[in-house]
Amino acid sequence: MADRLPPPQRNSRQNNGSEKIVKAKSKKGLTKDDLFITGSIDVPFFAVTMALLTIGLVMLFSASYPYALQNEGNSYYFFGRQFIFAVLGVVVMLIVSKINYRWFKVFVIPLLVATIGLLCLVLVWHTDVPGGFKRWIPLGPFTMQPSDIAKFTITVVMASYVSDYFGKMKKMKYGIFYPLCIIAVFCGLIYLEHHLSCTILMFCIGASIMFCAGSNWKLFAVGAGAVAAVVAVVIMFPNVLMNYAGDRITAWLDKSFEPTGLRWQTNNSLYAIGSGGFFGAGLGNSKQKYLYVSEPQNDFIFSIVCEELGFFGAAIIVGLFAVLFIRGIKIAMHCQDRFGSFLVIGIVSQVAIQTILNIMVVTDTIPNTGISLPFFSYGGTALLMLLFEMGVVLSVSRKTNQQKV
């Protein structure tokens, strides 16, 4: 479906940007234009990003202080750590927004190798978490989650690939087989971490870029049908998955399954959403965050948002996520460089898909997969990488700021 994105305009200044960087790199010195991008950022995208970050920090504190006081002895424990990463992330976002995004294409192979190395490392060196989860590498007082880095890496790798083989994406070999091999490597390693939600997310990111790059829609439809068939089999026979994942599907299907166990968090999430009504109980007035919703600062923070801000407040937040996605797509559509376009598409698709999946989990629409809500859920690495990616989008927007988006 190669006509989904407009072909890049060919001119002497914008053609072969990555090749120009490679040539400049081979020389002893780099010019300022090779390293940085001039021009103003896309103000609406930046404003929505900062709005979501601010609301997310406020809601994180409101949702987490009872749990933090009970388990850490400090009401500000989660908020304080998240605030540090938020400030650092904003600085990183602004710096990255000035750097030429085409450098990621130049260094795509080292980035891929480093990420694969981290995904392998976490399988043997990780924090001890009940349930056999192998997701976090301990780094002193903090931890690093390689899967958060992998979300960006697969976007860069796929964007680089489809921009190079854009004219061949309708062929089975280039449009389906090779891209699926790339996606399979990431999904396979992350699945070994017992991280099913991120495995699904990684697949969706890759598939989104393939779809927009023009993979043969008939073959794409066959693949989508195969995925749907696998999902149906998994729902009918949950035991084919790892124990923790199969049990969660069972708990999703059977609403009376382990009400004080696997259904506890979901049930209390639904109580929180229902008690919020249209306008909510008011900021800070949630009752379910008082040790009913387990770890409310993480995956189920949206249920506390609904309880305190109601349907009205939750709808505004969902609307902000929608604006972020739509604005990102407009930036991608107006970018005169295919790599930049697909890079933005992958990043904003990640945020949109992750948001949708999180809300579906919180509302019991799909099984509890343990997926976080961007800008809201607690997690330093995740927030830092997310703001880093927002900086990349802003970098691309600088290239197109002369045109009205």
Side-chain angles (χ1 to χ4, degrees):
M1 201 163 176
D3 57 346
R4 290 194 185 95
L5 285 174
Q9 301 294 322
R10 301 293 184 183
N11 58 57
S12 59
R13 287 182 298 178
Q14 293 174 325
N15 189 28
N16 298 325
S18 298
E19 287 78 0
K20 288 171 64 180
I21 289 179
V22 171
K23 291 178 181 178
K25 184 185 171 189
S26 64
K27 300 176 183 179
K28 289 186 177 181
L30 292 173
T31 67
K32 182 179 179 181
D33 291 337
D34 294 323
L35 182 59
F36 299 106
I37 289 185
T38 58
S40 61
I41 60 175
D42 187 82
V43 176
F45 187 89
F46 176 74
V48 174
T49 298
M50 294 304 297
L52 284 169
L53 178 63
T54 302
I55 297 171
L57 286 171
V58 171
M59 290 311 306
L60 175 69
F61 174 68
S62 180
S64 68
Y65 70 80
Y67 185 85
L69 181 62
Q70 174 72 19
N71 292 275
E72 305 295 339
N74 179 7
S75 299
Y76 296 92
Y77 178 80
F78 297 111
F79 172 77
R81 293 161 71 95
Q82 190 82 340
F83 183 78
I84 292 173
F85 278 100
V87 172
L88 180 61
V90 170
V91 173
V92 170
M93 176 178 66
L94 294 175
I95 293 174
V96 171
S97 74
K98 285 289 295 180
I99 297 175
N100 193 333
Y101 62 87
R102 292 192 180 101
W103 279 104
F104 295 112
K105 184 174 174 62
V106 174
F107 291 103
V108 63
I109 298 301
L111 178 63
L112 174 62
V113 172
T115 303
I116 296 298
L118 288 173
L119 291 176
C120 293
L121 177 63
V122 75
L123 297 177
V124 296
W125 183 37
H126 50 264
T127 57
D128 294 326
V129 179
F133 300 105
K134 307 170 183 178
R135 303 179 184 178
W136 299 275
I137 296 176
L139 296 173
F142 300 100
T143 59
M144 180 182 69
Q145 194 166 1
S147 59
D148 290 325
I149 300 173
K151 296 173 191 175
F152 176 67
T153 300
I154 193 174
T155 300
V156 175
V157 173
M158 290 294 296
S160 177
Y161 174 84
V162 300
S163 63
D164 288 341
Y165 295 94
F166 188 75
K168 300 180 179 180
M169 289 300 291
K170 290 188 179 298
K171 297 181 180 180
M172 174 69 179
K173 180 179 179 181
Y174 295 97
I176 300 293
F177 180 73
Y178 286 156
L180 286 181
C181 288
I182 296 172
I183 296 171
V185 172
F186 284 92
C187 290
L189 288 171
I190 292 176
Y191 184 73
L192 293 176
E193 299 178 8
H194 289 200
H195 201 173
L196 181 60
S197 60
C198 190
T199 303
I200 297 171
L201 179 60
M202 296 290 283
F203 178 82
C204 291
I205 294 171
S208 298
I209 296 176
M210 288 173 58
F211 181 78
C212 293
S215 292
N216 189 302
W217 72 268
K218 295 179 180 178
L219 296 175
F220 206 89
V222 171
V227 171
V230 170
V231 171
V233 170
V234 167
I235 291 176
M236 290 187 291
F237 306 100
N239 292 332
V240 301
L241 294 176
M242 296 177 182
N243 289 337
Y244 84 96
D247 290 343
R248 288 183 176 183
I249 293 177
T250 301
W252 173 63
L253 295 172
D254 182 2
K255 308 305 180 185
S256 63
F257 182 81
E258 295 186 8
T260 59
L262 287 177
R263 286 290 308 181
W264 174 265
Q265 191 175 35
T266 302
N267 287 343
N268 282 283
S269 170
L270 296 176
Y271 297 152
I273 294 171
S275 62
F278 191 82
F279 289 109
L283 183 63
N285 293 330
S286 165
K287 294 181 175 63
Q288 294 302 120
K289 67 186 177 185
Y290 288 96
L291 310 184
Y292 289 101
V293 175
S294 307
E295 299 190 28
Q297 76 280 1
N298 285 330
D299 308 334
F300 279 72
I301 190 173
F302 191 71
S303 65
I304 308 302
V305 171
C306 292
E307 184 180 8
E308 296 191 350
L309 304 184
F311 174 82
F312 181 75
I316 291 177
I317 291 172
V318 172
L320 287 173
F321 277 111
V323 171
L324 186 80
F325 175 75
I326 293 171
R327 196 67 192 177
I329 293 299
K330 287 186 176 181
I331 292 172
M333 292 292 290
H334 286 77
C335 180
Q336 297 183 348
D337 171 54
R338 286 195 183 113
F339 173 70
S341 294
F342 292 121
L343 193 60
V344 173
I345 286 173
I347 291 172
V348 296
S349 295
Q350 170 200 321
V351 176
I353 295 167
Q354 192 169 334
T355 300
I356 292 170
L357 291 177
N358 176 270
I359 293 175
M360 292 178 74
V361 166
V362 170
T363 56
D364 202 26
T365 307
I366 61 174
N368 184 354
T369 58
I371 192 165
S372 60
L373 182 63
F375 296 105
F376 284 73
S377 296
Y378 174 72
T381 305
L383 184 61
L384 187 61
M385 280 304 304
L386 179 61
L387 292 172
F388 175 90
E389 290 175 320
M390 297 302 100
V392 174
V393 176
L394 292 174
S395 173
V396 176
S397 76
R398 288 183 188 274
K399 199 69 177 177
T400 59
N401 72 319
Q402 292 85 2
Q403 302 182 31
K404 185 177 180 180
V405 180

